[in-house]
Amino acid sequence: MSALSGKVAIVTGSGRGLGLAYAQELARQGASVIINDVNQEVADTAVASIVEHGGQAAAVVVPVGTTEAAQALVKGALHTFGRLDILVTNAGILRDKSILKMTDEDFDAVINVHLKGTFTCVREAYAYFKENGVAGRIVTIGSPTGQRGNFGQTNYAAAKAGIVGMTRTWALEMKKAGVTVNAVIPVAATEMTRTVPFFQKAVEAQDRGEAMPDFFRKDLGFGTAEDVAGLIAFLASDAAADITGQAIGAGGDRLQLWSHPEAVESAFHDGGWSFEALESGYPFAGKSQSVGEKFPELPEELRPEVAK
């Protein structure tokens, strides 16, 4: 019997890319899957990719964000498959711009889909889990940008950092009900990374059907969507019943456990730290926490080709 036989999963934003890889792996492990996308044709194609391999899937076409959308997804699972056991909140959009160019609409759109969409879908799924005594599995999706920041992604960074914060909170709130909540931080070739010159040789290898060079898979922990999908299915299974509140990175051949934020150094001053005390001797001068991703230098043979 497969690990997820008899289980039912919702994967938001699963018409293509990472979300589709997650849905396909859940189905391969025996789960029936609700595919979600905003495009009916894309959703139907995703469903077919599972059904043609012997799996069970159905589509709910709705833009994630509102309570009504979350309700439609849960109702779709119950109507089609009779239950719900797993929720993967993958849906998201990008509106990348630097701070002075980012409009209110750019900010709100990304927050609505990523952050509010995760909140509304988790709230709806948990209500079902709790009412029906289901020891459900919730997997949210973070990003290295939410962990470290990235130029031009104020909205996305805020949403992804918020998702990890909510995940830790929900792990506390849902523990008594036996529901686990974990965040996955994927690092994989997507439509977004396809345009980044640094990853050119990795993407070209993937397009040829070849394994990515070890530098990408091992040194960077960068791989395919399928490399992340195994972790999603594992966290959705009974084997992960004791894992909750964690942020776990996956990419290429690498798995990472992100630490919860902790103070790295403390300093004390009698009477407290007044402006004058800080001015005369800021205790953390010359010490700082790094921001942004810092990649190792590409080996010469893997450097992007410059157009002539």
Side-chain angles (χ1 to χ4, degrees):
M1 181 179 291
S2 299
L4 300 178
S5 292
K7 305 288 188 181
V8 176
I10 294 170
V11 184
T12 68
S14 50
R16 60 186 70 178
L18 284 163
L20 178 57
Y22 303 159
Q24 290 172 333
E25 180 61 18
L26 290 168
R28 192 176 76 84
Q29 295 300 332
S32 300
V33 182
I34 292 293
I35 294 287
N36 164 248
D37 198 88
V38 296
N39 183 292
Q40 186 71 57
E41 184 177 356
V42 169
D44 290 343
T45 300
V47 168
S49 74
I50 290 173
V51 173
E52 68 188 13
H53 287 94
Q56 289 191 304
V60 174
V61 177
V62 65
V64 166
T66 65
T67 294
E68 291 74 19
Q71 290 171 340
L73 286 163
V74 172
K75 287 177 181 176
L78 301 181
H79 176 75
T80 308
F81 299 119
R83 61 179 294 124
L84 177 64
D85 303 274
I86 301 157
L87 171 67
V88 181
T89 58
N90 175 73
I93 60 172
L94 292 175
R95 297 289 187 274
D96 292 356
K97 291 176 185 173
S98 59
I99 181 66
L100 295 181
K101 295 178 180 178
M102 185 173 290
T103 65
D104 289 1
E105 290 75 19
D106 294 328
F107 186 85
D108 291 346
V110 170
I111 294 297
N112 184 63
V113 179
H114 284 279
L115 191 62
K116 187 179 179 185
T118 295
F119 163 69
T120 55
C121 288
V122 168
R123 183 177 60 183
E124 202 65 29
Y126 179 56
Y128 170 81
F129 293 156
K130 189 171 183 181
E131 184 177 343
N132 294 276
V134 177
R137 301 283 180 266
I138 297 171
V139 182
T140 66
I141 305 299
S143 167
T145 294
Q147 303 295 97
R148 289 186 167 274
N150 191 36
F151 187 95
Q153 291 194 308
T154 294
N155 45 12
Y156 185 69
K160 289 304 190 182
I163 286 169
V164 174
M166 292 193 303
T167 296
R168 293 176 178 137
T169 299
W170 293 331
L172 296 171
E173 294 183 353
M174 300 181 191
K175 183 176 181 179
K176 188 175 180 180
V179 177
T180 65
V181 196
N182 293 286
V184 168
I185 316 295
V187 183
T190 63
E191 289 304 310
M192 182 174 68
T193 54
R194 173 174 290 275
T195 63
V196 179
F198 192 88
F199 300 117
Q200 178 183 320
K201 296 298 184 181
V203 172
E204 289 176 350
Q206 182 184 27
D207 288 346
R208 292 193 301 268
E210 301 172 0
M212 292 181 185
D214 277 355
F215 173 83
F216 294 101
R217 294 191 58 83
K218 298 183 185 303
D219 294 40
L220 291 182
F222 178 86
T224 66
E226 289 71 24
D227 291 323
V228 185
L231 175 61
I232 300 291
F234 170 72
L235 292 173
S237 73
D238 291 342
D242 295 329
I243 302 171
T244 194
Q246 303 305 303
I248 307 167
D253 296 333
R254 186 179 73 186
L255 201 66
Q256 291 183 311
L257 182 63
W258 286 85
S259 68
H260 293 184
E262 297 284 353
V264 295
E265 190 168 340
S266 299
F268 299 90
H269 189 275
D270 289 343
W273 286 99
S274 65
F275 173 84
E276 290 77 13
L278 288 165
E279 185 182 34
S280 64
Y282 176 62
F284 307 134
K287 302 173 183 177
S288 64
Q289 188 177 49
S290 64
V291 295
E293 287 282 310
K294 290 181 173 60
F295 296 133
E297 186 176 351
L298 275 169
E300 186 173 353
E301 69 274 14
L302 297 179
R303 292 174 186 169
E305 298 169 6
V306 179
K308 298 179 180 179

